[in-house]
């Protein structure tokens, strides 16, 4: 008998396992319904109870994060977070992952990640004004890495450029730990009037439910489930679960949505993101405490013979769901026709508290909303304290055999080398409000709040090697570095969004990473008054049991009340003095020096003294606001060497750094101690005196001189590199790698 002849249809229980429901979860479904679900109902439960939609493994711990603050208008729970930026204006922002889809189909995975995060923002009534991204790829020598980089960058640029929203900031790292699972985290920032925000809760029964945007197809079915599962050697077969985006349709959708909102017709609104029509309808009804009934025959469809199951689980892009106020259907119809969008009234809200779906005259789904919306399984999963690396004293780490080689290895390694090849593919100045972007020598992107004197600063940060070595300290550092980057351009940090990327939470060692990283982030947010207003959790990022390095990415926004005070790190001139504000102990554990020069990935990461971070950052910001500092750079990867080289290259001016005794010079130059800023000033006397009066350390560490990047001081000349040569090496790594045939 052939295998085909022996294949019997799967039972509902067998399908439940295929769809990611554990046996105990499927039993809960049976208990809630009092019967076996049909195929459509099973699909609805499976996507709503997926990790991607329910946060069932992380929700308990996410509750530790502070979410309130004097400027927080709306915290987690809505499509995006909202903060007050004065004068009746609000900033709306969020970060989300599109990791699994981007690994399977890099162009469309990244493109639809951009489209999806923009919908989260304009769904709340905001016009998107800026995009950011945080990208993690595998080892450059891995066979898939180059293709993935090309596809992801093209997808981000292709979508964002066509929609007409500038991509102003981001980060790109490479490590073999991402060989089997790359990370594509997309962030969008928008602006709206604080009294004209829109929410997703359906306010009452008896209101029309309107679908508008693109037609529904079969792309992306079970995308949320796929994003909540590990990969294996057959992952390429999941390509059909990746959505296909249309940026031109998104542009029409933005304009139609904002016009519909301005008309006063909207009672509630939700984009169709992960789990598509299922999540949008369930969340709108669930948040409003009502029921919802949909007629599936009325859903605009681009393929023939679609089943209710396919329509409910499709993740076709550029679609919205709105609940309209009584009698406003015609207003909606007029606006949708104007913008050329497909639209239809596909149902109404009810007082039943149930999700009811009808297709071809039959009821194909009738389930209570409560277990779907707020009664999904929650797990306090077992976890173990991650194994911690010991601190490395500077004396325990050897100095480089060749200083010139060491400097070049750190400054020109894949993580530190120029990413010009990437950001040149992004339109960074569309909308004409960009002040700082990826091409600007600054620690954060900055855009004007159109028509005002205000600016919004934004950044994305995480150092995965720190989190791997000590999730608690690494979680603290991710938040602290984002806070520093906003401070370094002169803005006042307000709030963060996060994107928590980890492996399989059912493994206690991975769950330990999650728990301790969140603990560290929560502590940093509390001390820095930096609440979390939105975010996303992406788990099961592993292939064949090999997890990614833990990567809790932090996206952050700050406010400049007058954008004229904004600073960068490209303003140094000949004769300036470089002053280091902050204390240097020579923390080399988990540093780039250790990895790139010595080939080691060990040692505790630099500890983060949050009180010191706050004192130092507040001091630097006050000096910027007073006009005392015009060239400021925070220290992070690569330590003093990294920051000084950035300033020299950005200013096109040579630098001579002062080295102490040669035995400790590598700790001074490459140590990655936190809470430090490098500034260039004409006269160091005033800033050093002011820092000391504030109880902070500050010292001269070099000066702007000539056309070389070099070191002097008591140890003598340790290295000297012509600035033009350093620039060539720094700029050439990525295009050489991309264009090569290896």
């Amino acid at each position: 008998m052939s295998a085909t002849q022996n294949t019997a249809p799967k039972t509902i229980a067998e399908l439940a396992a295929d769809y990611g429901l554990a046996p105990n979860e499927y039993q809960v479904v049976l208990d809630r319904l009092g019967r076996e679900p049909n195929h459509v109902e099973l699909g609805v439960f499976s996507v709503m109870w997926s990790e991607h939609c329910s946060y069932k493994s992380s929700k308990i711990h996410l509750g530790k994060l502070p979410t309130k603050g004097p400027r927080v208008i709306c915290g987690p729970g809505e499509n995006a977070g909202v903060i007050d930026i004065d004068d009746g204006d609000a900033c709306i922002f969020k970060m989300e992952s599109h990791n699994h889809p981007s690994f399977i189909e890099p162009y469309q995975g990244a493109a639809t990640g951009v489209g999806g995060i923009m919908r989260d923002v304009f769904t709340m009534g905001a016009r998107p004004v800026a995009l950011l991204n945080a990208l993690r790829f595998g080892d450059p020598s891995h066979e898939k890495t180059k293709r993935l980089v090309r596809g992801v960058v093209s997808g981000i640029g292709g979508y964002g450029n066509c929609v007409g929203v500038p991509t102003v900031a981001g980060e790109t790292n490479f490590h073999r730990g991402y060989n089997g699972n790359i990370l594509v985290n997309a962030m969008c920032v928008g602006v709206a009037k604080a009294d004209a925000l829109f929410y997703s809760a359906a306010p009452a029964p008896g209101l029309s439910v309107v679908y508008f945007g693109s037609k529904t197809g079969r792309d992306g079915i079970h995308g949320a489930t796929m994003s909540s599962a590990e990969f294996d050697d057959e992952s390429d077969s999941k390509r059909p679960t990746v959505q296909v985006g249309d940026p031109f349709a998104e542009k029409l959708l933005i304009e139609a949505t904002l016009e519909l909102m301005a008309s006063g017709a909207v009672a509630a609104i939700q984009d169709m993101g992960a789990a598509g029509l299922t999540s949008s309808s369930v969340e709108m009804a669930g948040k409003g405490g009502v029921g919802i009934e949909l007629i599936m025959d009325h859903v605009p469809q681009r393929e023939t013979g679609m089943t209710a199951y396919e329509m409910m689980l499709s993740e076709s892009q550029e679609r919205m769901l709105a609940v309209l106020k009584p009698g406003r259907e015609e207003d909606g119809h007029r606006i949708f026709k104007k913008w050329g969008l497909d639209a239809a009234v596909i149902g109404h809200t009810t007082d039943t508290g149930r999700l009811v779906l009808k297709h071809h005259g039959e009821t194909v789904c009738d389930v209570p909303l409560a277990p779907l919306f707020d009664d999904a399984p929650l797990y306090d999963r077992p976890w173990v304290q991650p194994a911690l690396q010991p601190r490395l004293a500077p004396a325990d780490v050897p100095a480089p055999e060749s200083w010139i080689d060491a400097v070049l290895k750190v400054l020109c390694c894949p993580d530190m080398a120029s990413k010009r090849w990437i950001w040149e593919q992004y339109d960074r100045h569309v909308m004409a409000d960009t002040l700082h972007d990826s091409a600007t020598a600054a620690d954060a992107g900055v855009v004007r709040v159109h028509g005002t004197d205000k600016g919004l600063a934004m950044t994305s940060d995480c150092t995965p090697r720190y989190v791997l070595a000590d999730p608690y300290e690494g979680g603290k550092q991710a938040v602290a570095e984002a806070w520093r980057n906003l401070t370094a351009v002169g803005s006042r940090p307000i709030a963060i969004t996060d994107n928590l990327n980890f492996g399989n939470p059912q493994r206690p060692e991975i769950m330990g990473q999650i728990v301790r990283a969140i603990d560290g982030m929560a502590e940093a947010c509390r001390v820095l008054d930096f609440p979390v207003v939105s975010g996303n959790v992406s788990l099961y990022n592993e292939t064949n049991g090999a997890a990614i390095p833990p990567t809790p990415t932090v996206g952050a926004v700050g406010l400049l009340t007058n954008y004229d005070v904004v600073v960068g790190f490209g303003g140094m001139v000949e004769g300036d003095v470089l002053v280091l504000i902050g204390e240097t102990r020579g923390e080399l554990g988990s540093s780039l020096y250790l990895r790139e020069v010595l080939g080691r990935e060990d040692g505790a990461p630099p500890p983060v003294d949050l009180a010191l971070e706050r004192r130092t950052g507040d001091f630097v910001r006050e000096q910027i606001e007073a006009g005392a500092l015009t060239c400021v750079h925070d220290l992070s990867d690569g330590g003093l060497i990294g920051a000084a080289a950035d300033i020299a290259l950005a200013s096109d001016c040579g630098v001579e750094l002062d080295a102490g005794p040669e035995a400790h010079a590598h700790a001074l130059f490459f140590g990655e101690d936190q809470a430090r800023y490098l500034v260039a000033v004409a006269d160091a006397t005033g800033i050093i005196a002011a820092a000391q009066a504030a109880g902070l350390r500050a010292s001269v560490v070099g000066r702007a001189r000539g056309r070389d990047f070099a070191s002097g001081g008591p140890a003598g000349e340790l290295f000297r590199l012509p600035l033009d040569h350093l620039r060539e090496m720094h700029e050439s790594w990525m295009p050489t790698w991309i264009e090569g045939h290896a």
Side-chain angles (χ1 to χ4, degrees), residues 55 62 65-68 72-83 91-97 117 120-121 124 186-190 494-500 521 525 530-537 553-557:
Y55 297 88
L62 293 175
L65 297 169
T67 59
K68 299 183 184 302
V72 176
I73 296 174
C74 177
E78 272 294 340
N79 290 288
V82 186
I83 56 174
C91 174
I92 295 86
F93 64 102
K94 188 181 183 183
M95 177 179 278
E96 274 204 345
S97 61
I117 197 61
D120 280 336
V121 167
M124 299 201 65
M187 178 174 167
C188 181
V189 179
I494 296 178
I496 73 169
T497 180
D498 58 48
N499 204 151
L500 308 181
M521 294 173 70
C525 289
F530 210 22
V532 182
V533 296
S534 60
N536 172 245
V537 174
T553 309
V554 171
V557 172

Side-chain angles (χ1 to χ4, degrees), residues 366-439:
D366 186 349
V367 297
L369 279 162
L372 294 173
F373 173 67
D374 59 8
D375 192 24
L378 286 181
Y379 296 106
D380 188 358
R381 295 197 185 277
W383 63 277
V384 295
Q385 171 68 44
L388 303 180
Q389 295 282 335
R391 181 178 179 270
L392 300 178
D396 298 334
V397 180
E401 295 180 4
S402 165
W403 270 94
I404 290 178
D405 286 350
V407 170
L408 287 175
K409 281 181 179 179
V410 169
L411 296 181
C412 304
C413 72
D415 281 2
M416 292 287 282
S418 168
K419 304 304 185 298
R420 177 184 295 273
W421 182 89
I422 293 177
W423 51 253
E424 280 188 338
Q425 299 185 51
Y426 304 152
D427 189 334
R428 308 180 307 280
H429 296 278
V430 64
M431 302 180 78
D433 281 320
T434 304
L435 298 173
H436 281 340
D437 61 59
S438 305

